[in-house]
Amino acid sequence: MTLNVYLSGEIHTDWRERIVNGVAALGSDLNVRCDAPVTDHAASDDCGVAILGAETDKFWHDHKGAKLNAIRTRTAIEAADIVVVRFGDQYKQWNAAFDAGYAAALGKALIVLHGPDHAHALKEVDAAALAVAETPEQVVQILTYVQTGKLPG
């Protein structure tokens, strides 16, 4: 069985690469396909005006981009078996909170990824998750266990 995993949330660290590389390192033991939002911040912000035309008001500029990104995000979450949502330390990830809620509402298996310092602030998001991990390596271990039944080590 192929697991379709959507990697949502924070875009300023290498957490996605650590998961993708961790899965790849396991070779044929795992059959996991990872998808993600557009992580080029400028492209994500400007996609709406680049495709649909310029806006003089920043609100409408952002609105167009958000709507186009929502098409990609919602489609990917709906196609996913598992949604991993990362909350980082540097920025407020309101979109990540939406993605977690959307995935939970669709009944998707949700893994939330954040450090212990966010545990209180994210307690409601964590309550919707089937697992709360602190490292990308734990996510790889979860995916390994879910797909193969094998424990780490």
Side-chain angles (χ1 to χ4, degrees):
M1 123 180 104
T2 298
L3 287 178
N4 291 308
V5 179
Y6 185 68
L7 304 174
S8 172
E10 182 262 318
I11 66 169
H12 301 283
T13 63
D14 68 346
W15 72 274
R16 282 184 184 84
E17 291 79 15
R18 289 166 59 191
I19 291 172
V20 169
N21 292 340
V23 166
L26 294 168
S28 63
D29 285 349
L30 290 186
N31 191 2
V32 174
R33 183 185 160 280
C34 292
D35 198 5
V38 173
T39 57
D40 176 328
H41 206 169
S44 177
D45 284 351
D46 297 337
C47 65
V49 295
I51 296 168
L52 300 173
E55 292 290 342
T56 57
D57 186 320
K58 181 68 171 147
F59 173 84
W60 293 111
H61 175 114
D62 289 346
H63 187 76
K64 280 184 176 179
K67 295 269 189 168
L68 294 189
N69 285 316
I71 293 169
R72 178 184 174 88
T73 300
R74 290 180 189 180
T75 301
I77 289 172
E78 290 166 10
D81 300 305
I82 298 172
V83 177
V84 179
V85 182
R86 162 81 175 144
F87 292 87
D89 298 327
Q90 193 173 9
Y91 300 96
K92 306 288 186 241
Q93 290 97 37
W94 306 118
N95 59 324
F98 173 83
D99 291 355
Y102 187 62
L106 292 175
K108 300 296 178 174
L110 176 62
I111 301 170
V112 176
L113 176 60
H114 63 75
D117 52 327
H118 284 21
H120 179 72
L122 293 171
K123 63 186 176 293
E124 285 83 5
V125 174
D126 289 352
L130 295 178
V132 179
E134 292 184 7
T135 69
E137 291 73 24
Q138 288 176 321
V139 173
V140 174
Q141 291 173 350
I142 291 167
L143 296 174
T144 301
Y145 178 75
V146 166
Q147 194 160 60
T148 69
K150 295 179 184 175
L151 293 173

